């Protein structure tokens, strides 16, 4: 130790020691300042992470809207991942995170705000989780509306959190600046002291004890090496190398701690950073300088070193942060609209996304102010507030509507961040925007859905009832018109929902045009509308109702199809017909059903006795659902004769309902109800099976050529299982297809061409005959008639009724035309509704082949038909 320390007596060594101490002071100061700055960086990093949380909140809200309104754009998994990222980052902010490089702030006010923000997040998270399991679209829209509102609260809470963290950072920065200034002056003073000490020691050659004291207490590691053997090491040195005492190091080869290749490459008097080894063989980062000593001894070296492992780690972390910032910048450029403006508002930079959405090139906007994008939507106060905020050095955030070069408008969520110079004044502003046009449209749609019908944009039921309630509260006399389209379900089932929806929209437009701004027109749902008008007298309401009936029945051309529809209207008046919403609406509904029962295409004011009819309709619907199981239906058969031979050629099966308590219910009363409730298919299948079974019995009795006619509705025709059902019943009843005739009304032509051809030709392939019923009264055209593979035309009773009436010769001509048309198309022709002998003569004279009607026979049960025509072997009706 003494031999090693003797080298300290040389002036060169004293100079080296002084330099080493000076270097130690500087390095120490650097580390203190670096530590202070690390606290400052933690606050800055927290602000960045909190800012990303804020953007993620808005992004999740936007994803939720697009998940509902733009199906397929975002998945449940993407929403769940965003929620997980938000929660992970937020816990890191709140409690500190090594992964995110965050240290917990102990400030009580900040932690209280963390708790408040977490409560808001837990609330909105429940809505997100509910949205992800909800399948009903309407419910999803309600949930999204809640999420949107709660996300605004969450963003505001995060903003407050960022402000609190910024305030904490500024307080810390002020303290750190004072500490840094103190360190600078302290270090300067220490350098002066060191210089004086060094000068003093240079002139006092015999003060070895003082040199030893200075070296031993130096914060730098100092060792001397002779012939690669360590001859001396101070306290800081052996502690840096992980030893408890200098004896563990002195005498060992310096290469045990410093790689020989590294040592050989060191330039003399050069400060370098290299890897070293501790006694425990762990790596250590060292900052060192090697100083040759000019003494009488050979190969003496002075090595001054410092552990900079933490510094290297901090440098690596800084590099990683820098890379992260570069990646964030790249991500920002790709995902957001970025713009930089100077203090005067002139644009100095825009990214590609800015150009894509604004339709302007960078050259067109650089040097211009933001007025080039002004949509005229926002007020002057809006922009004044914006500039006042950012000129104070504060961040401004809001939603802005801009105008693109092509004149289109778009909405952007905007954040403007000021760049502050050394004087604390903003000199430049960076604007980060995200396109929220789709979100704004969705919000507009959600708001519209709250008060308006999505299909027609008319007032919806909720809004209508609110307006009616307001009128009642103010004691205003008003009338409610309840409108229902007649047989709309039939149109919907035969032509499809697309045409049905377009018909609803067309009707809504006509209704709106009739009353204009003098009334509230609402769609209640389906094919039901209500209108609220101020009531003066019945005459004024009648005028409105009649105009509606006339306008609605005018033909509609929808998807190249001509549609005819009528409506039934019920009217109730406040306060005459009720004092509350429920009563007024219910009585208008009752009056509407009364209009339908009277024959449709009309209107009725509510009268108390109408309730009885309404109750009967509800009772009929309930009983109709049980009628098949209870075996309450029976079939009647109306004969059809050959007008040349007067012989019976077949009959038409007609359903009757014999209810145990209500008695015989007319088909005119329950068939429309069956069509509206969808029970017609089940009832139709029962009719076909019973008719085939009965005809099979008559064939076995000797009536081998007897033709059984069965009616089928367009609703049944639309069912893809219809052909299979007919084929199955023919097989089950052992009935030949050639003895079955399916009657369809002209309105089957309203079905799509594909449906018509596929079903009718499938029937023909089975061998079944096809008859067009009620010809001349429906929607058919010669084009469809020529296309349909029909075998029989049935002339409607309304034309037969006019035969013989001198003032209705045109109707007789119409009957002649139908007979001629059937002949030309090689079809048989049947006259329906024959009631007098003159009609028989006329039809025979004009070569009509078949006839049926009350003159021949009214519809009869099978047993009575057999008694009258079959058991008596009376195949001939009469001789005329």
């Amino acid at each position: 130790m003494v031999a090693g320390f003797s080298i300290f007596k040389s002036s060169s060594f004293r100079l080296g020691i002084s330099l080493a101490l000076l270097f130690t002071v500087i390095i120490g100061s650097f580390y203190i300042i670096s530590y202070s700055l690390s606290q400052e960086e933690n606050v800055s990093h927290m602000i960045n992470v909190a800012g990303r949380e804020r953007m993620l909140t808005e992004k999740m809200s936007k994803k939720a809207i697009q998940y509902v309104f733009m199906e397929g754009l975002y998945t449940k998994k993407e929403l769940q991942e965003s929620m997980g990222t938000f929660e992970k980052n937020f816990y890191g902010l709140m409690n500190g995170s090594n992964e995110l490089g965050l240290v917990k702030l102990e400030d009580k006010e900040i932690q209280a705000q963390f708790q408040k923000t977490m409560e808001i997040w837990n609330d909105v998270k429940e809505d997100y989780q509910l949205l992800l399991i909800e399948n009903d679209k309407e419910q999803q829209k309600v949930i999204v509306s809640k999420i949107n509102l709660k996300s605004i609260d969450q963003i505001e809470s995060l903003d407050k959190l960022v402000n609190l963290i910024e305030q904490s950072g500024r307080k810390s920065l002020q303290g750190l600046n004072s500490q840094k200034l103190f360190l600078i002056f302290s270090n300067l003073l220490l350098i002066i002291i060191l210089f004086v000490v060094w000068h003093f020691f240079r002139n006092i050659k015999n003060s070895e004890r003082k040199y030893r004291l200075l070296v031993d207490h130096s914060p730098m590691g100092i060792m001397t090496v002779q012939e690669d053997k360590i001859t001396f090491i101070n306290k800081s040195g052996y502690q840096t190398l992980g030893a408890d005492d200098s004896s563990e190091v002195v005498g060992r080869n310096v290469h045990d701690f410093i790689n020989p290749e590294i040592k050989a490459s060191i330039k003399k008097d050069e400060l370098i950073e290299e890897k070293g080894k501790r006694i425990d063989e762990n790596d250590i980062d060292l900052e060192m300088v090697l100083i040759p000593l000019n003494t009488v001894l050979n190969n003496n070296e002075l090595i001054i070193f410092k552990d900079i492992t933490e510094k290297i780690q901090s440098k690596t972390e800084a590099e990683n942060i820098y890379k992260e910032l570069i990646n964030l910048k790249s991500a920002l450029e790709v995902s957001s609209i970025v713009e930089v403006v100077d203090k005067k508002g002139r644009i100095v930079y825009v990214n590609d996304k800015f150009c894509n959405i604004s339709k302007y090139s960078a050259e067109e906007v650089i040097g211009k102010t933001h007025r080039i994008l002004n949509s005229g939507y926002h007020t002057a106060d809006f922009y004044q507030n914006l500039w006042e905020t950012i000129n104070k050095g504060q961040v401004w955030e809001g939603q802005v509507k801009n105008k693109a070069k092509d004149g289109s408008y778009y909405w952007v969520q905007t954040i403007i961040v000021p760049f502050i110079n050394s004087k604390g004044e903003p000199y430049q502003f960076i604007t980060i925007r995200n396109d929220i046009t789709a979100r704004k449209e969705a919000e507009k749609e959600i708001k519209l859905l709250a008060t308006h019908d999505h299909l027609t944009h008319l007032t919806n039921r909720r809004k209508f009832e609110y307006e009616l309630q307001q009128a009642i509260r103010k004691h205003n006399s008003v009338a409610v018109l309840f409108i229902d389209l007649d047989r709309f379900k039939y149109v919907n089932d035969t032509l499809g929902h697309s045409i049905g929806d377009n018909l609803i929209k067309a009707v809504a437009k006509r209704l709106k045009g009739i009353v204009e701004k003098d009334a509230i027109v609402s769609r209640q749902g389906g094919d039901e509308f209500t209108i609220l008008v101020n009531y003066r007298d019945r005459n004024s309401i009648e005028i409105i109702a009649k105009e509606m009936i006339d306008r609605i029945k005018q033909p509609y051309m929808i998807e190249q199809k001509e549609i005819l529809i009528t409506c039934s209207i019920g009217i109730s008046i406040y306060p005459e017909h009720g004092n509350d919403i429920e009563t007024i609406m219910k009585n208008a509904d009752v009056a509407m059903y009364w209009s339908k029962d009277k024959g449709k295409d009309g209107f009725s004011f509510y009268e108390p006795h109408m309730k009885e009819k309404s109750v009967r309709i509800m009772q009929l619907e309930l009983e109709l659902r049980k009628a098949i199981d209870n075996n309450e239906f029976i079939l009647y058969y109306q004969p059809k004769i050959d007008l040349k031979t007067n012989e019976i050629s077949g009959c038409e099966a007609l359903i009757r309902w014999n209810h145990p308590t209500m008695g015989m219910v007319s088909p005119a009363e329950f068939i429309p109800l069956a069509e509206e409730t969808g029970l017609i298919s089940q009832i139709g299948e029962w009719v076909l099976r019973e008719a085939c079974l009965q005809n099979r019995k008559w064939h076995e009795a000797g009536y081998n050529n007897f033709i059984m006619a069965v009616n089928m509705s367009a609703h049944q025709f639309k069912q893809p299982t219809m052909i299979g059902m007919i084929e199955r019943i023919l097989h089950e009843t052992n009935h030949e297809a050639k003895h079955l005739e399916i009657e369809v009304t002209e309105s089957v032509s309203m079905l799509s061409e594909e449906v018509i051809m596929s079903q009718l030709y499938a029937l023909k392939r089975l061998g079944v005959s096809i008859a067009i019923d009620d010809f001349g009264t429906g929607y058919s055209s010669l084009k469809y008639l020529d296309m349909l593979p029909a075998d029989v035309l049935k002339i409607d009773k309304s034309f037969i009724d006019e035969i013989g009436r001198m003032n209705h010769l045109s109707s007789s001509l119409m009957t002649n035309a139908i007979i001629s048309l059937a002949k030309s198309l090689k079809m048989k022709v049947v006259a329906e509704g024959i009631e007098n002998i003159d009609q028989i003569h006329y039809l025979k004279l004009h070569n009509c082949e078949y006839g049926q009607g009350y003159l021949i026979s009214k519809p009869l049960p099978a047993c009575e038909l057999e008694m009258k025509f079959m058991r008596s072997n009376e195949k001939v009706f009469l001789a005329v």
Side-chain angles (χ1 to χ4, degrees), residues 335-500:
S335 64
S336 300
I337 304 158
V338 181
E339 171 192 5
V340 179
V341 299
D342 63 17
K343 190 173 183 180
K344 294 183 178 180
R346 292 174 300 205
I347 300 171
V348 297
Y349 169 80
V350 293
N351 68 346
D352 291 340
K353 206 165 185 68
F354 177 98
C355 298
N356 291 339
I357 193 169
S358 71
K359 311 294 191 303
Y360 286 103
S361 66
E363 293 76 12
E364 289 177 301
V365 295
I366 298 295
K368 305 283 180 58
T369 67
H370 209 265
R371 290 189 184 93
I372 195 172
L373 302 177
N374 196 322
S375 64
Y377 177 83
H378 303 285
T379 64
D381 290 341
F382 175 86
Y383 290 108
Q384 182 179 351
N385 173 262
L386 183 156
W387 278 102
E388 286 178 354
T389 300
I390 61 178
N391 279 328
K392 292 177 183 177
Q394 299 174 358
V395 175
W396 183 90
E397 182 176 1
Q399 296 177 353
V400 182
K401 183 178 183 180
N402 285 336
K403 183 178 181 181
K405 183 179 179 180
D406 62 3
S408 62
Y409 295 96
Y410 61 95
W411 280 90
V412 282
Q413 184 70 38
T414 304
I415 298 176
I416 304 177
V417 182
F419 287 178
I420 309 300
N421 60 20
S422 58
K423 298 179 181 179
E425 299 173 345
Y427 67 93
Q428 195 169 257
F429 308 96
I430 181 170
T431 303
I432 302 169
R433 299 186 178 94
N434 287 292
D435 183 8
I436 57 169
T437 307
R439 171 181 149 192
K440 295 294 285 187
E441 290 297 324
E443 289 174 355
K444 182 179 178 181
E445 181 69 18
I446 290 172
K447 185 176 180 181
L448 185 66
L449 286 173
T451 58
H452 288 74
D453 172 58
H454 71 282
L455 179 64
T456 62
H457 292 167
L458 293 177
T459 299
N460 63 11
R461 180 198 297 266
R462 185 184 297 111
K463 178 66 172 174
F464 182 86
E465 290 181 352
Y466 171 79
E467 294 294 340
L468 177 56
Q469 181 63 54
Q470 292 299 103
I472 292 173
R473 186 177 63 83
K474 296 176 183 178
H475 303 291
N476 295 337
S477 185
V478 291
V480 172
L481 285 73
F482 199 112
I483 303 163
D484 184 87
L485 301 183
D486 299 326
R487 304 195 74 189
F488 173 75
K489 187 179 188 328
Y490 179 78
V491 175
N492 223 22
D493 289 343
T494 54
L495 298 179
H497 292 286
S498 174
I499 288 180

Side-chain angles (χ1 to χ4, degrees), residues 580-595:
D580 56 76
I581 292 176
E582 184 178 358
T583 304
I584 294 294
M585 295 293 289
K586 181 180 178 181
N587 289 343
D589 188 42
V590 168
M592 180 273 293
Y593 275 106
W594 182 267
S595 298

Side-chain angles (χ1 to χ4, degrees), residues 449-601:
L449 286 173
T451 58
H452 288 74
D453 172 58
H454 71 282
L455 179 64
T456 62
H457 292 167
L458 293 177
T459 299
N460 63 11
R461 180 198 297 266
R462 185 184 297 111
K463 178 66 172 174
F464 182 86
E465 290 181 352
Y466 171 79
E467 294 294 340
L468 177 56
Q469 181 63 54
Q470 292 299 103
I472 292 173
R473 186 177 63 83
K474 296 176 183 178
H475 303 291
N476 295 337
S477 185
V478 291
V480 172
L481 285 73
F482 199 112
I483 303 163
D484 184 87
L485 301 183
D486 299 326
R487 304 195 74 189
F488 173 75
K489 187 179 188 328
Y490 179 78
V491 175
N492 223 22
D493 289 343
T494 54
L495 298 179
H497 292 286
S498 174
I499 288 180
D501 286 348
N502 286 328
L503 178 59
I504 289 292
K505 289 193 283 188
V507 170
K509 185 176 180 181
R510 290 188 185 182
L511 291 174
K512 191 71 175 174
I514 293 169
V515 294
E516 295 180 347
K517 298 180 180 179
D518 297 331
I520 296 173
V521 182
S522 166
R523 182 186 179 213
Q524 296 289 294
D527 61 332
E528 295 178 340
F529 300 86
T530 53
I531 298 179
L532 182 66
V533 296
N534 291 325
Y535 178 74
R536 295 188 299 272
D537 52 59
R538 287 207 174 198
N539 184 56
S540 62
I541 302 301
E542 286 179 1
I543 291 173
I544 294 174
K546 288 176 181 178
E547 186 175 359
M548 287 179 178
I549 289 169
D550 291 339
R551 288 283 295 277
I552 286 176
K553 71 170 59 174
Q554 298 301 313
Y556 300 83
M557 185 59 67
I558 298 175
E559 295 183 17
Q560 299 180 338
K561 281 189 175 291
E562 186 179 42
I563 310 292
L564 296 176
I565 197 85
T566 59
C567 72
S568 297
I569 302 176
I571 306 168
S572 65
I573 301 166
Y574 169 80
E576 183 178 337
H577 298 142
N579 292 312
D580 56 76
I581 292 176
E582 184 178 358
T583 304
I584 294 294
M585 295 293 289
K586 181 180 178 181
N587 289 343
D589 188 42
V590 168
M592 180 273 293
Y593 275 106
W594 182 267
S595 298
K596 278 188 178 294
D597 190 58
K598 287 196 304 181
K600 305 179 177 62
D601 193 23

